[in-house]
Amino acid sequence: MLALPYSSGTTGLPKGVMLSHRNMVVNVDQSLRLFDLRPGEMTVGFLPLFHIYGMTVLMNVYLGHGAGLVTMPRFDLEAFLTHIQTHRAERVFIAPPVAIALAKHPIVDRFDLSSLKLIMSAAAPLGAEVGAEVERRLGCTVLQGYGMTELSPITHVAPHSDPRPGSVGVTAPNTRTRIVHPETLQDCGPGEEGEVWIKGPQVMIGYLNRPDATDAMIRDGWLRTGDLGVVDADGYLFIRDRLKELIKVKGFQVAPAEVEAVLLGLAGVADAAVIGIPDDEAGERPMAFIVRQAGSDLTDVAIVEALRGRLASYKVPTRIEFIEAVPKSASGKILRRVLRDRLVAGG
């Protein structure tokens, strides 16, 4: 075992992920094949290097290819933009919350970001509308990638030459992808939604002292990601949501990420998170936590009215709460359990 990062614990207690030297080296080689990285090229890194995203994609990939990395102790938007301008960064690696800031925050217009050619977003789903807004504002390409700690982490990256809105890309070299029905465990066809299974040399050894969890995660060498996705006829993967985070309304499944993407497209919304809450009639109903943009007086009534024309009725949140900030992990994933705990504590 070479590294022992811990999974984020967004749906449970964190688990130690045992990664071998082979896992890590292979994934760096896979990443260099996927990224058109140039020796000497500079980037700015705020992602923590103890997290697998920062560890592999920034630290190991850039050092392994003779490129340069300007590190930040924590994310600060103004400092991040300053470094991009000063060091003429051609590409940066971010999480969706930063993409939202790049799309909406007025401070962005104060900086010369003309050197940027590519922005790669990963760690959580990025709505196609937000990505398109960043592209329009900054004049660069926004791509998505996919992976997880248990996969060292990269398995998919959108090709630079042919990105598709909303897609996390195509399968990495020496890696296989399956879309499996979560109940029947039968393979799904192109365009059919199911759980994403991955097989390749980047699959972890297992969880530290958790053989039960390892056996539940890995089946005949295939790692069950717990993510729902669709692969189109050309092999592009589209992530719908976490299987465990789906909200079931009268038997209908609601993906929080879908509702969040629509919310983020509304004027006056700076950030959003959606969870399911118990409902006697429907089993569950969606609830939204909204961060207003500065100066906005957006109301819950206005939000619901706007969503009714954009979402099926059962996907529209029946409860909305305004908060100061959406709780997120260091990698940018929404900590839905923190929001649930908040509701329980508040009665």
Side-chain angles (χ1 to χ4, degrees):
M1 179 174 64
L2 175 67
L4 188 65
Y6 273 71
S7 63
S8 63
T10 55
T11 56
L13 294 175
K15 297 176 287 292
V17 178
M18 296 187 292
L19 298 176
S20 67
H21 183 270
R22 177 174 184 258
N23 289 150
M24 302 292 285
V25 171
V26 162
N27 206 231
V28 168
D29 285 341
Q30 290 170 316
S31 301
L32 290 174
R33 175 64 181 83
L34 295 167
F35 304 147
D36 186 21
L37 190 62
R38 177 173 51 79
E41 181 181 326
M42 298 296 293
T43 192
V44 182
F46 61 85
L47 298 163
L49 301 183
F50 61 78
H51 186 275
I52 195 65
Y53 187 2
M55 185 187 304
T56 297
V57 180
L58 287 174
M59 181 175 71
N60 290 345
V61 167
Y62 270 74
L63 291 178
H65 202 58
L69 174 63
V70 178
T71 61
M72 297 175 60
R74 66 187 63 84
F75 180 73
D76 176 85
L77 181 58
E78 185 171 1
F80 181 58
L81 298 172
T82 299
H83 288 312
I84 293 174
Q85 176 178 275
T86 301
H87 299 281
R88 308 300 296 163
E90 296 179 22
R91 78 186 77 199
V92 291
F93 295 84
I94 65 171
V98 179
I100 295 168
L102 292 175
K104 296 175 177 284
H105 204 291
I107 196 177
V108 174
D109 295 328
R110 291 167 38 192
F111 292 86
D112 175 11
L113 306 180
S114 59
S115 63
L116 275 179
K117 298 177 181 177
L118 178 68
I119 295 176
M120 174 66 70
S121 179
L126 175 67
E129 290 185 4
V130 175
E133 193 171 346
V134 174
E135 289 186 332
R136 285 193 298 270
R137 189 178 194 189
L138 301 185
C140 63
T141 301
V142 177
L143 302 179
Q144 291 197 65
Y146 175 75
M148 56 194 302
T149 305
E150 291 85 346
L151 292 165
S152 306
I154 294 173
T155 65
H156 293 74
V157 171
H160 299 193
S161 59
D162 188 20
R164 300 195 179 177
S167 172
V168 297
V170 296
T171 307
N174 299 318
T175 305
R176 296 167 64 190
T177 302
R178 290 172 66 190
I179 304 296
V180 179
H181 192 286
E183 295 178 2
T184 67
L185 301 186
Q186 298 298 308
D187 286 339
C188 299
E192 295 180 353
E193 184 175 279
E195 184 181 10
V196 181
W197 288 24
I198 300 293
K199 193 173 193 176
Q202 68 269 58
V203 173
M204 68 173 179
I205 300 171
Y207 291 120
L208 179 66
N209 299 326
R210 291 291 305 275
D212 55 334
T214 301
D215 291 341
M217 191 74 162
I218 301 176
R219 183 187 182 97
D220 297 327
W222 289 92
L223 187 137
R224 307 177 62 171
T225 67
D227 287 326
L228 285 178
V230 172
V231 171
D232 69 14
D234 296 321
Y236 283 74
L237 175 63
F238 296 79
I239 296 297
R240 298 306 191 209
D241 214 315
R242 288 290 298 170
L243 184 61
K244 293 180 181 179
E245 291 175 350
L246 286 175
I247 303 166
K248 293 188 176 181
V249 182
K250 295 184 177 180
F252 293 99
Q253 295 184 337
V254 180
E258 178 187 1
V259 183
E260 289 159 0
V262 176
L263 284 167
L264 289 169
L266 300 181
V269 175
D271 206 354
V274 174
I275 64 171
I277 57 174
D279 182 87
D280 292 338
E281 178 189 359
E284 284 185 304
R285 296 281 190 186
M287 175 181 178
F289 294 84
I290 303 294
V291 179
R292 292 189 183 97
Q293 286 186 331
S296 172
D297 58 356
L298 190 65
T299 66
D300 54 353
V301 174
I303 290 173
V304 171
E305 284 299 315
L307 293 181
R308 281 179 179 155
R310 294 172 169 86
L311 292 170
S313 59
Y314 64 89
K315 297 181 181 180
V316 176
T318 56
R319 180 176 170 185
I320 292 175
E321 182 174 325
F322 294 97
I323 57 177
E324 293 296 320
V326 173
K328 293 173 181 174
S329 69
S331 62
K333 292 182 179 179
I334 296 173
L335 297 174
R336 302 184 202 278
R337 57 181 171 79
V338 174
L339 295 172
R340 295 188 186 98
D341 291 345
R342 174 187 178 128
L343 287 182
V344 172

